[in-house]
Amino acid sequence: MDMTPPLKHTLTSLNLIYFALIIVMVGFATFVYAQIASGEETPEHNAELETLLQYIVLAVVPAGMGIGYIAFKAALKGITPDMSLAEKLQRYQSAVIIRGAGFEMPGMLASAAAFITGNIYFLLFTAVVVVLFLLFRPTLNAVTNDLQLTATERAELESNHPFTRR
C-alpha cells in the first residue's frame, strides 16, 4: 500500500521539527561551553544569583519535562481509532512538538544559567535533557504504541519511508 503524499510530508515534518529542537539546544549549549572554556573574562561572580539559578533549574527541569509529558498524554487522548492515519499523525505531530517544547525549555534554561554564571556544571542538565529527548524520539514502535495503531496502519507506516527505522 503506497503512502499518500500528506502522510510522507507529516512524517518528514515531524522528524525535522523534533531534531531541530535538539540541534538548537545542543548548538546553544556548545556555544556556552566554548565561551566558558575559552577563559574569556566573565561578569563578576554573584554567588546569590548562582544559587538562585541552581534552585530554579532544579525546579524547572522536572517540572517542564513533567508538564510536557502530561500535555503529550492529554493530546493523545484526543486521537480516536476512527480517524484516518494521516489525521492521527498530524495530531501526533502536534503532541510530540508540545512534549518537545516541555523538554527543550529546561535544557535551554540550564544553558542560559551556565552562560550567565560561567558555571559549566549547569550544562549537565542540558546533557540529561538531550539524552531524554533522544530516548523519547518518535520511532515506529513509539508511534504504534502511542497511537495504538492497527496492523494495517503500522504496515502503511513501514512501507516506503526511512522514518520507520526501529
Side-chain angles (χ1 to χ4, degrees), residues 2-48:
D2 287 332
M3 293 175 64
T4 61
L7 190 58
K8 283 185 179 182
H9 177 70
T10 301
L11 294 173
T12 303
S13 296
L14 174 61
N15 279 295
L16 287 175
I17 293 167
Y18 192 79
F19 286 102
L21 293 172
I22 295 172
I23 290 170
V24 168
M25 192 170 30
V26 169
F28 183 58
T30 302
F31 168 76
V32 170
Y33 177 78
Q35 283 293 112
I36 294 170
S38 71
E40 286 188 32
E41 194 171 314
T42 58
E44 185 177 316
H45 186 264
N46 184 340
E48 288 179 22

Side-chain angles (χ1 to χ4, degrees), residues 48-66:
E48 288 179 22
L49 176 63
E50 188 170 340
T51 302
L52 176 65
L53 287 173
Q54 286 174 350
Y55 289 129
I56 290 171
V57 168
L58 285 172
V60 169
V61 168
M65 294 176 73

Side-chain angles (χ1 to χ4, degrees), residues 129-142:
V129 170
V130 168
V131 168
L132 290 173
F133 238 104
L134 294 172
L135 290 174
F136 283 101
R137 73 189 183 283
T139 62
L140 175 63
N141 289 333

